[in-house]
Structures are given as C-alpha cells and as structure tokens.
Amino acid sequence: ELAQQPWLGGKPGSRRVIINRRGEIVEDVASIRAPQEGRDLALSIDSRLQYLAFSEIKAAVEANKAKAGAMVMLDPRTGEILALANWPSYNPNNRSRAARDKMRNRALIDTFEPGSTLKPFTIAAALDSGKFAPGAIIDNDAHRERALTVEQVLQKSSNVGAAKIALSLSAETMWHVLSDAGFGTPPMTGFPGEVSGRLRPAKSWRPIEQATMAYGHGISVNLVQLARAYTVFANDGELKPVSLLKVDAPVAGRPVLKPQTARAVRHMLEMAVLPGGTAPKAQVAGYRVAGKTGTAHKLDGHVYANNKYISSFVGFAPASNPRLVIAVMLDEPGGDQYYGGAIAAPVFSSVMGAALRMLGVPPDAPVTNVILPADAPEIREET
C-alpha cells in the first residue's frame, strides 16, 4: 500500500473562486486542475492460498520450536506471487503492541545461505556447459556409495560431488548461471526494502569458495528470489519476472538454460523426492513432485554455529506441467529434527496438496504414488 500510494490515493484538484469576508465561496471562477480519483489495484495474492500458507508456516514454526519461518507460493507461468506468509507476524489493524521483529516481511528482506537448494543450479551449469551428462560418474570417496552419477549427486545431495563438479567449471560459467537466475539482484516486486542478497563477482572467487558455493554456502538469498529461480526448471529454462500485482496478459520470460538442461534437472529433482532421495516426505498423493531440500549452518559472527540451522525446501508440481512453485524456510529449528527433508518437506507436501486441490489442478500420478517403506533408510542432505 505504501509503495502504490500514488496510484491508490489519486490527486487533488484545484479551482479559482470568489469568497466573501466570512471565507465562504460565493462564486466559481475557473477550474485550474480537475481532481483525479484513486484507482483500483488487484493483488496477485489469493486469499485462500494465503490463509493456507500462513496457517501451515505458523504451525511448522511452533511444532519445530523454530525462531521464525516463511513461505512463498507463486505461479511459474505468470510469476504471480499467490501467497507470501511469515511467522512470527502481527495484526496490522492493531499495531500498538507489535514488536518490530514481528513486522518484518522475512521472505523479501531477510537473507540466508540456501544450502543444498542451490545444488540444482550447479548441476545445471555443468550440464549446460556440455562437460557433463546426467549419467556421468563422479568419484566420491566421502560418500558410502563411493561413486555417484551426476543425477545421484543431486538426488542424494552430495556436497563432495557438487564441489567436484563445480571445480571442473570456470568461475565465470557458474556465476553467469546464478546471476541469470536472479541471484545477487532484487526480485523487483516493488515491495519497499526488498534485498538483493549477495553474489560476489566471479573474479574474486577462490577455489575453496567456488567449491562451497556449489552447495549453497558463501552466497545469500531471500526466499522470493529462491522460489523465482526454480521457475527456470519449471519453465524449460526460462526465468519469469515475479509480481505482487495480478497479471492479466502473457508474461515474457528470459532464457537462462537450454530447454534440455532444465528438463534434465527437473527429472533429477523428481528423483530427490522419491525413495532414495532426501525428500520423500515432500511427495503429494496423486501428483508428481520435483524439489530439493536444504540444511545450512547459520553464521554466528564470522564462524558457522554448530547448532543453528536454516532448514528449507523448494519444489513445484505437477512435474509434468508445473502450476505452483512453493518455497519453505524454517529459521533455527529447536526440536530434535533440523534437516530440510525432515521438517520443511512435510510442510511443502501439506500446502502443495491442498493448494492443487483448491485450484482444481488435474492429478498426473496415481493416488497411491506416495510410498514410504517403513524400513527405507533415511537419506539426509549434507550440511
């Protein structure tokens, strides 16, 4: 409302009049400027989806004893932000007792290191360069399976595998993919105070920094940026602008990846949600889901804290024809679980399933597609 005040508020007019000695208007002389009424403005926010997102992120923060949380839901075809929820929050109609910490729109003005949710972009840069194919073998002596394909590096979220892939590329190649996907620049929603995050110029990267950036450390993002970036995989390599205002006409995107690269990574993101990946709890009955978990240590001053984490999940569905992208972030979960696959993925699943049903999106998988064997080993993303 603050940002759009000139549009909403209109403009006063002026006229020349004759008044008597009591200050009363007795005659109109001329109209100098006609008044302009305020104009209507339609937000992209869907009240049903907003209520759903708000309720679920509040419940997730409380259930996991987290410091805070945020969720973003957008339409990858138009870039419209359909829901944007934060907790803790406040009642804007009664701000007398609202602490400033509760008034922040964390999804747009707070930054965090994305952790393993950035790995799909490392893999995409490698595939787009032509140096790797999805089935290429990556030696990984730190992983129990020793050797992983590029697909499995993403499916099982191997830090060593991602780092080895990144170090085989030039810093400029990686930087261009990240920059073209919107990292390092504000998402341009028009919301006052939105931040750009941090993506340092490629020429300043040292090898160790390039390696850690491959799995989401050394770069900072906001949640809207991260959700928007995943539209690249949902749109066959094209990045759409995001909007908090309703979009009535087709939206032109910007090519970031080759279509075949985006489709290959989309398939890997589906693998990550199936048994054997890090996020089977993100599955939605009746729909094919694609997405990626993230668990990152938080910075405490100039060092990483051992027991403070950002847990996240970003994904989209139906994978055959993506209609929604949802990003979930929990800040400093204080319960027994802190991995993104354990606490953020179930929130995504609950919201995505309900949202797709609300919108009447046809299923693209059997209703019985969610299979979680009791004896299946838990695959955790590396932090």
Side-chain angles (χ1 to χ4, degrees):
E1 188 174 348
L2 171 65
Q4 298 295 331
Q5 177 59 27
W7 179 275
L8 293 167
K11 296 179 181 178
S14 63
R15 56 180 177 159
R16 185 176 291 116
V17 298
I18 295 175
I19 61 175
N20 62 21
R21 62 182 180 179
R22 293 188 295 273
E24 299 166 337
I25 297 173
V26 295
E27 184 179 346
D28 279 331
V29 176
S31 175
I32 300 173
R33 184 177 63 248
Q36 179 180 307
E37 292 186 357
R39 290 167 286 186
D40 292 338
L41 194 70
L43 297 181
S44 60
I45 300 293
D46 183 309
S47 59
R48 301 167 303 162
L49 301 179
Q50 177 67 20
Y51 178 78
L52 172 66
F54 181 82
S55 300
E56 290 291 336
I57 198 64
K58 176 185 177 183
V61 168
E62 293 173 347
N64 292 286
K65 301 176 183 177
K67 178 180 176 182
M71 185 186 303
V72 175
M73 183 189 305
L74 57 83
D75 185 334
R77 303 167 303 172
T78 63
E80 291 173 296
I81 297 174
L82 304 176
L84 193 157
N86 300 278
W87 188 261
S89 187
Y90 71 104
N91 181 356
N93 296 312
N94 180 13
R95 292 184 281 182
S96 59
R97 297 184 179 181
R100 292 182 65 86
D101 186 57
K102 294 182 178 181
M103 298 173 73
R104 294 210 317 275
N105 192 333
R106 297 172 185 273
L108 276 164
I109 69 174
D110 281 12
T111 61
F112 59 96
E113 292 192 338
S116 293
T117 57
L118 204 74
K119 283 175 183 166
F121 300 94
T122 302
I123 302 299
L127 297 180
D128 231 33
S129 72
K131 286 190 172 184
F132 290 87
I137 300 296
I138 308 297
D139 289 331
N140 186 349
D141 54 15
H143 199 279
R144 67 173 179 267
E145 296 185 32
R146 294 284 178 173
L148 299 172
T149 64
V150 171
E151 287 184 329
Q152 290 173 320
V153 166
L154 190 58
Q155 178 194 24
K156 300 180 183 301
S157 200
S158 166
N159 285 355
V160 172
K164 285 190 171 185
I165 290 170
L167 289 172
S168 71
L169 307 172
S170 69
E172 288 76 15
T173 296
M174 271 191 67
W175 182 90
H176 276 296
V177 168
L178 295 174
S179 178
D180 289 348
F183 297 114
T185 56
M188 304 301 290
T189 61
F191 187 87
E194 67 175 10
V195 294
S196 61
R198 186 170 184 245
L199 174 63
R200 292 183 297 106
K203 62 183 179 182
S204 69
W205 294 6
R206 294 177 296 170
I208 184 61
E209 293 167 330
Q210 185 168 339
T212 57
M213 204 171 297
Y215 49 86
H217 287 278
I219 178 175
S220 66
V221 305
N222 66 47
L223 197 63
V224 170
Q225 263 183 329
L226 192 57
R228 180 198 182 199
Y230 269 67
T231 66
V232 170
F233 306 121
N235 289 325
D236 288 347
E238 192 176 85
L239 182 72
K240 299 280 189 178
V242 287
S243 175
L244 282 165
L245 304 180
K246 191 165 183 59
V247 175
D248 295 318
V251 178
R254 174 165 50 83
V256 173
L257 301 171
K258 298 172 185 174
Q260 61 267 33
T261 296
R263 289 192 287 268
V265 175
R266 187 193 305 179
H267 172 67
M268 297 179 201
L269 292 172
E270 281 197 76
M271 292 173 60
V273 173
L274 297 174
T278 60
K281 291 181 179 179
Q283 293 182 74
V284 177
Y287 296 93
R288 288 166 52 192
V289 170
K292 184 70 189 74
T293 54
T295 308
H297 286 277
K298 286 187 68 175
L299 277 170
D300 190 357
H302 297 290
V303 298
Y304 287 102
N306 287 328
N307 58 351
K308 294 181 180 180
Y309 301 91
I310 293 286
S311 305
S312 58
F313 185 87
V314 190
F316 49 87
S320 60
N321 182 23
R323 290 287 306 276
L324 294 174
V325 173
I326 296 178
V328 179
M329 182 275 290
L330 294 169
D331 184 5
E332 288 189 33
D336 296 332
Q337 296 278 4
Y338 57 85
Y339 284 98
I343 64 173
V347 182
F348 167 91
S349 174
S350 177
V351 174
M352 180 63 84
L356 291 173
R357 290 189 292 272
M358 281 182 186
L359 296 175
V361 178
D364 65 343
V367 177
T368 57
N369 64 315
V370 177
I371 301 174
L372 298 175
D375 57 350
E378 183 179 6
I379 310 294
R380 294 175 172 177
E381 62 270 22
E382 297 175 355
T383 58

